[in-house]
Amino acid sequence: MQEDDGNYQNARYEDLRPVSREYIHKTRLRVMNGLIPTGRFMLDAGSGPVQYEEYKTYSAGYQKRICLDISIQALREARTRIGDHGLFVVGDLANLPFKKDSFDGAVSMHAIHHLALPEHPRAYAEVHRVLAPGRTAAIVNGWSDPLISRMAEPFIGLLRKVTGRDAKKKKEWLSEDAPAGTFVEKMSPAWLKREIGSKMTIELKPWRGLSTRILRNFVRPFGGRAFLKFVFWLEGIFPKFFAENGQYPLIVVKK
């Protein structure tokens, strides 16, 4: 749902400050590292409103982007943003209404983790089923308890205490990356490798190592851009570490 400030509701759980803008922009474009850039049809599984400009680039080399979402309102918003380039289907991520081998590419941005964990394997299996042989899907979701976030928590607590923000209820702090009232169930790298990687070919790449919570607490206007440039560089130098220990991996499904 679009709000009065022009942003979509989920944007409240993104760091949209100018200091973080370049880092956020570059991480969104990393989805192209998991896609074959050209083809006929690209599936956007759980498309929402296609709310960010970078999201449009994923299907730029495809004839049509097929947006699937359970929300009619989200699909109406997506239509206003991508127009005739899109086709819009109301449907369930875990039961895709498409034939086998229908798509030359697929993306799914922060969507599968809105399903209960036992349904995740079905969603991955469905994306794999509708991919054409030799093609790839790029899926972004969050880890449940990544190392980098665990390491940051004591320092976040100290910062809040020093600045007087520790009076906020803990559940409010922890909701910064998960909208209140929104169901989210995330996974661990071990779970993904066991439950998904044993059934299809996947590759883990870094998408964004720092959570919104870390960005908002540690990245300040003075020196913040330089710090995030360094973090982005580190993510490229140590991709395996950041893919498995950062907040958001890019999960590349290959068929």
Side-chain angles (χ1 to χ4, degrees):
M1 181 172 66
Q2 197 166 22
E3 300 185 325
D4 293 339
D5 62 1
N7 288 316
Y8 289 88
Q9 191 176 59
N10 284 348
R12 288 185 292 164
Y13 308 97
E14 180 72 284
D15 186 2
L16 301 179
R17 296 174 302 152
V19 68
S20 301
R21 189 171 296 153
E22 182 183 2
Y23 175 69
I24 298 296
H25 169 71
K26 291 192 296 185
T27 59
R28 288 175 184 158
L29 293 180
R30 276 180 169 151
V31 166
M32 297 305 298
N33 295 338
L35 278 177
I36 295 171
T38 59
R40 188 179 180 193
F41 295 125
M42 191 198 82
L43 172 66
D44 190 342
S47 69
V50 193
Q51 69 252 50
Y52 300 117
E53 288 300 307
E54 296 91 346
Y55 286 14
K56 296 180 185 179
T57 65
Y58 307 157
S59 58
Y62 287 76
Q63 293 179 27
K64 288 288 184 179
R65 183 185 191 124
I66 314 303
C67 294
L68 176 135
D69 202 279
I70 201 167
S71 166
I72 294 175
Q73 180 60 34
L75 293 173
R76 286 174 178 157
E77 296 286 351
R79 185 188 293 275
T80 67
R81 293 181 63 76
I82 64 174
D84 292 341
H85 183 56
L87 297 172
F88 307 91
V89 179
V90 176
D92 177 6
L93 259 176
N95 294 280
L96 296 176
F98 306 114
K99 293 181 179 179
K100 180 181 179 182
D101 303 340
S102 297
F103 294 95
D104 291 321
V107 297
S108 184
M109 302 297 294
H110 309 285
I112 292 177
H113 65 208
H114 292 303
L115 302 174
L117 195 62
E119 295 184 59
H120 289 204
R122 177 66 178 172
Y124 282 92
E126 282 290 273
V127 170
H128 185 267
R129 178 182 66 82
V130 302
L131 270 181
R135 309 300 288 194
T136 63
I139 297 171
V140 173
N141 279 305
W143 297 130
S144 56
D145 190 25
L147 175 64
I148 290 174
S149 292
R150 293 201 308 272
M151 292 173 64
E153 280 305 313
F155 298 100
I156 291 175
L158 179 61
L159 280 172
R160 287 186 177 276
K161 186 174 182 179
V162 168
T163 59
R165 290 182 292 163
D166 60 326
K168 294 184 71 176
K169 294 179 181 178
K170 185 175 181 180
K171 69 178 182 179
E172 292 176 343
W173 303 356
L174 296 178
S175 70
E176 291 175 6
D177 291 320
T182 300
F183 179 85
V184 173
E185 192 163 12
K186 299 179 180 179
M187 61 196 165
S188 68
W191 183 94
L192 183 75
K193 293 173 183 178
R194 182 179 69 249
E195 300 295 332
I196 309 300
S198 63
K199 298 176 177 65
M200 65 190 72
T201 301
I202 63 172
E203 181 181 1
L204 292 180
K205 297 185 177 185
W207 186 71
R208 186 183 301 162
L210 303 185
S211 68
T212 300
R213 179 169 166 77
I214 291 175
L215 290 171
R216 287 175 175 171
N217 280 280
F218 288 107
V219 178
R220 315 320 304 167
F222 179 76
R225 287 185 178 88
F227 170 71
L228 289 176
K229 284 182 179 180
F230 179 63
V231 170
F232 188 84
W233 176 78
L234 283 177
E235 290 168 348
I237 295 295
F238 303 105
K240 186 176 188 298
F241 175 82
F242 281 95
E244 296 192 8
N245 298 288
Q247 181 62 63
Y248 300 104
L250 172 62
I251 303 155
V252 182
V253 174
K254 302 179 180 181
K255 188 170 180 180

